[in-house]
Amino acid sequence: MSISILCAVLFIGFAAALQSEPITQDQRMEWWRRSRFGLFIHWGLYAIPAGIWKGRSIPGIGEWIMYSAKIPVEEYRKLAKQFNPQKFDAKAWVELAKTAGMKYITITSKHHDGFALYGSKASSYNIVDATPFKRDPIRELAEECHKQGLKICFYYSQVQDWNEPGGYGNTWDFPVQGDFQKYLDEKVKPQLTELLTEYGPIGMIWFDTPYNITAEQAQSLKDLVRRLQPACIISGRLGGGVKTDYISTGDNVVPGSMIATDWEVPATLNDTWGFKVEDHSWKSPRQLTIILFDIVAKGGNYLLNVGPTAEGVIPAESVAILHKMGEWLSVNGESIYGTEASPFQREFSWGNLTRKGDKLYLGFYQWPAGEFYLEGLLTRVEKAWLLADPDQKGLAFQQTLDPSAGRPRLSLHLPQQGPDEAVSVVVLQLTGEPMVQQGLFQSGDGSVLLPGVLGKISRAGEEAQLNFGSRTGGSDGWLDPAIAIDWDFHLEKPGRYRVDIITMETGQHGDPAWVGGHTFEIHSAASLQGVIRADEREYSPRAHYWHRIHTHAGCLTYNRPGSQHLRLQPLSINPEQKPDGQPGFTFKEIILTPED
Ligand code: JFZ
């Protein structure tokens, strides 16, 4: 008996034993919650054309080339005869992920093109049987991951399969949709069974494009995974409305607020998943580190992608970026791994916070040289220091906790320069669990931020709902002008304030959409009316592809300090459609900035 078969047998025994003692959701998610950062690998036959078909650059993401160029099955399948990635080195890939500070690897076992990157018995269209390479990279990677202590996870395209008449997506070869159930029974289930029985413990199955699948069909896939490996996590994109173990956001989409469940952002280093020779739009390590910190501060995981070449090489630019992130994590990992979301349910213009026990980690995306103020913290600070400082030299601070002062405030005296060009982290050791006074306060720089997520949402006096979670931080599907948002906030300095309304671009990454033209009213110290227009387009690393659009709504003058109120009421919402769907009023927040 070969080692791998022995392992498989032992493993099935192990899984069966586990079944008698059902695993809890918390147990299943434990490693995942601790990990926070994983490596996505999109690798397959599409790495050969690398975005170019018959001399023509094909727009869009690399792994979609068969679809985008409408390549007939017979022609695309011939790529397999050329696939011979002699430079593939599982050990080096796993080492790279480790060096980058990543704790799991999710690799495409079968993408939409239908080609299996492992030795499948259920379909001969696979790397072992159909290519001169003949090796099974999924097995080599799984073994390396097990050896080096990383979790191995498999992406599997359950709905789209452009190689099969029963799979969805290929309308150029199969103008009439074939039998999807037959495809599920004869390809998907046998392949998932192989993946879940022949490669040892699998961290998760990453399903994708959750459309055109019924609740029963999706449930049958979930049941299959649960039966074979009860501890295996099921990704957010299964479909059929079936509940899975966590939520996947849209690609590269960092939600504007906390989501009250486990969630993960799948994201690219450039603009493609599968390798494209012409894609040089690399994000900087600084941008990516900010996004990592922001995701973790909101309680999520970051799954960051590389697209190896047809030779089996991870592009040098990707390696360099991941090394940089790994360097940052080797100093600042304490603020990431095993942490929880920020106790402040909001973003700050300077950055964000993570929390572990009685410690808070302030991640600065912009370094506020000199005095820095944090409003709302009710727990006493014992000591503050720079996480990058090996001597943990205390930073000077003052704290006002007296409720008569109007709001609790921490003033921190920071050095002129932050220790890190990406995210500089300050640790606050507290005397107990962080307690936060939820409320909206004027910040140290005099501005007041009124985020949609922290407003009171109503419709004709009744409580109503708006979703700020799933898109780029702007509200999702605000089409009803009868919905209004109210905020109570505390103002310290009376005076004249400029009012900016922030809306977000939406759309697929690399192809942003924005619709303005909505009309609104603001009621506060005075009433303002206006039209949502793009007066300013601001880049934000948090949202990367999607700009923040400022509408200058006018000025408000407050004569007294203390409690204030502001209401935002749309008068009309422009129903204009974009190809990617209907943005509606993609409101994110209002910012009041002192005029003098
Ligand atoms: C999918 C795939 O089609 C793509 O090739 C890649 O594998 C990516 C990780 O996932 O594409 C999607 C799926 C969902 C969204 C966007 C792209 N989404 O919800 O915004």
Side-chain angles (χ1 to χ4, degrees):
M1 190 153 33
S2 81
I3 297 276
S4 59
I5 294 177
L6 181 68
C7 280
V9 168
L10 284 176
F11 185 69
I12 292 169
F14 173 66
L18 258 181
Q19 257 181 333
S20 52
E21 185 91 29
I23 177 168
T24 66
Q25 182 68 3
D26 282 340
Q27 287 169 331
R28 181 180 295 121
M29 299 307 292
E30 203 267 333
W31 70 264
W32 188 92
R33 289 177 187 156
R34 239 183 318 111
S35 299
R36 290 294 172 232
F37 192 28
L39 179 67
F40 215 171
I41 304 178
H42 276 70
W43 198 36
L45 298 180
Y46 39 79
I48 300 171
I52 296 173
W53 193 250
K54 298 193 168 153
R56 206 161 59 85
S57 296
I58 307 298
I61 40 185
E63 72 283 6
W64 274 68
I65 194 167
M66 179 180 180
Y67 182 96
S68 306
K70 302 281 169 277
I71 304 171
V73 165
E74 281 322 307
E75 226 179 304
Y76 189 87
R77 286 175 69 101
K78 286 190 190 135
L79 290 171
K81 299 203 176 70
Q82 295 174 46
F83 197 56
N84 197 5
Q86 286 300 326
K87 296 190 178 152
F88 168 69
D89 180 348
K91 184 162 173 279
W93 287 15
V94 176
E95 276 167 4
L96 173 65
K98 275 195 98 158
T99 309
M102 294 157 150
K103 306 293 185 190
Y104 56 108
I105 295 183
T106 305
I107 183 162
T108 47
S109 62
K110 187 204 81 167
H111 205 267
H112 308 331
D113 64 1
F115 177 77
L117 202 64
Y118 70 97
S120 171
K121 277 153 223 93
S123 160
S124 60
Y125 190 39
N126 73 66
I127 192 163
V128 174
D129 296 316
T131 76
F133 189 54
K134 295 196 181 350
R135 278 157 57 188
D136 182 341
I138 294 276
R139 179 172 309 288
E140 293 179 29
L141 264 179
E143 283 172 1
E144 263 314 313
C145 280
H146 293 142
K147 213 183 280 173
Q148 298 195 41
L150 264 66
K151 292 277 181 187
I152 181 79
C153 310
F154 298 143
Y155 173 107
Y156 189 90
S157 176
Q158 78 282 22
V159 171
Q160 294 197 65
D161 191 315
W162 306 328
N163 186 63
E164 314 290 336
Y168 275 94
N170 182 344
T171 49
W172 56 101
D173 284 297
F174 316 117
V176 178
Q177 175 61 41
D179 186 343
F180 181 65
Q181 185 61 50
K182 183 167 184 288
Y183 152 76
L184 279 184
D185 292 336
E186 293 178 4
K187 186 165 183 180
V188 177
K189 289 180 190 174
Q191 289 200 327
L192 286 172
T193 304
E194 293 168 344
L195 290 166
L196 287 162
T197 54
E198 295 172 24
Y199 294 87
I202 304 307
M204 77 176 122
I205 298 288
W206 215 95
F207 291 113
D208 200 4
T209 57
Y211 318 108
N212 301 325
I213 185 168
T214 67
E216 292 70 34
Q217 289 166 335
Q219 185 64 44
S220 73
L221 298 186
K222 179 176 173 180
D223 291 344
L224 179 74
V225 178
R226 287 286 194 261
R227 182 163 55 76
L228 295 173
Q229 293 207 25
C232 179
I233 293 169
I234 299 174
S235 83
R237 294 179 180 174
L238 175 58
V242 171
K243 192 180 174 315
T244 58
D245 293 319
Y246 69 86
I247 288 175
S248 303
T249 69
D251 299 355
N252 291 297
V253 170
V254 180
S257 65
M258 254 62 81
I259 302 177
T261 179
D262 296 304
W263 56 278
E264 179 187 61
V265 179
T268 50
L269 288 179
N270 47 357
D271 295 340
T272 184
W273 305 88
F275 179 65
K276 270 186 98 170
V277 72
E278 290 180 336
D279 185 335
H280 305 294
S281 318
W282 302 103
K283 293 167 193 141
S284 71
R286 173 180 145 77
Q287 288 164 321
L288 293 156
T289 306
I290 289 174
I291 298 171
L292 170 67
F293 198 95
D294 216 54
I295 290 170
V296 175
K298 293 168 181 169
N301 277 18
Y302 198 21
L303 182 62
L304 203 45
N305 182 74
V306 297
T309 67
E311 289 191 296
V313 175
I314 296 177
E317 294 90 339
S318 304
V319 172
I321 291 169
L322 294 182
H323 278 165
K324 271 277 186 195
M325 294 185 79
E327 274 171 37
W328 183 86
L329 278 159
S330 69
V331 175
N332 298 288
E334 187 190 319
S335 67
I336 297 292
Y337 306 117
T339 60
E340 289 173 57
S342 162
F344 295 84
Q345 290 162 10
R346 51 163 293 185
E347 293 174 347
F348 292 93
S349 55
W350 49 265
N352 217 329
L353 303 90
T354 60
R355 177 230 164 154
K356 200 186 292 177
D358 295 349
K359 279 188 186 136
L360 286 177
Y361 302 91
L362 278 57
F364 288 95
Y365 312 161
Q366 277 162 355
W367 188 250
E371 209 64 12
F372 164 78
Y373 304 100
L374 177 69
E375 272 77 26
L377 180 64
L378 293 166
T379 317
R380 196 160 286 288
V381 175
E382 222 166 62
K383 187 184 171 183
W385 68 94
L386 296 169
L387 186 52
D389 176 6
D391 301 329
Q392 306 195 350
K393 191 163 131 332
L395 300 169
F397 66 89
Q398 277 175 325
Q399 219 177 353
T400 328
L401 296 172
D402 178 5
S404 65
R407 78 253 162 291
R409 167 182 276 182
L410 170 72
S411 323
L412 252 182
H413 193 71
L414 296 174
Q416 221 37 46
Q417 293 240 301
D420 205 289
E421 61 176 292
V423 176
S424 295
V425 181
V426 170
V427 190
L428 301 182
Q429 173 66 58
L430 310 178
T431 53
E433 296 214 341
M435 304 284 284
V436 165
Q437 182 170 326
Q438 301 296 352
L440 297 164
F441 308 104
Q442 188 159 22
S443 59
D445 66 3
S447 67
V448 179
L449 181 74
L450 306 175
V453 266
L454 294 187
K456 211 168 106 240
I457 298 159
S458 65
R459 186 182 188 286
E462 303 276 313
E463 195 183 313
Q465 298 276 319
L466 279 176
N467 177 14
F468 290 91
S470 64
R471 279 207 301 217
T472 54
S475 66
D476 199 356
W478 188 353
L479 294 158
D480 181 356
I483 290 181
I485 309 187
D486 287 274
W487 294 268
D488 292 312
F489 61 97
H490 184 273
L491 196 75
E492 211 177 323
K493 299 182 199 95
R496 207 170 126 87
Y497 287 81
R498 197 184 81 211
V499 182
D500 278 41
I501 300 178
I502 312 296
T503 47
M504 295 301 293
E505 290 180 336
T506 64
Q508 285 303 317
H509 78 245
D511 188 16
W514 185 80
V515 168
H518 325 295
T519 55
F520 65 87
E521 244 171 26
I522 284 175
H523 302 281
S524 192
S527 290
L528 304 171
Q529 283 199 357
V531 182
I532 297 295
R533 323 167 286 240
D535 290 327
E536 224 180 286
R537 198 161 167 265
E538 182 194 3
Y539 173 81
S540 153
R542 275 189 172 109
H544 189 73
Y545 290 100
W546 299 279
H547 289 81
R548 294 160 55 86
I549 307 295
H550 289 241
T551 301
H552 299 154
C555 285
L556 291 169
T557 302
Y558 296 93
N559 295 320
R560 315 172 271 105
S563 285
Q564 306 289 348
H565 176 262
L566 188 144
R567 159 171 279 220
L568 172 66
Q569 174 76 67
L571 298 174
S572 68
I573 290 181
N574 178 1
E576 190 187 322
Q577 302 263 342
K578 288 279 169 185
D580 180 55
Q582 193 175 45
F585 183 20
T586 59
F587 173 74
K588 181 173 168 71
E589 63 205 16
I590 287 179
I591 303 172
L592 308 179
T593 316
E595 277 281 86
D596 28 58

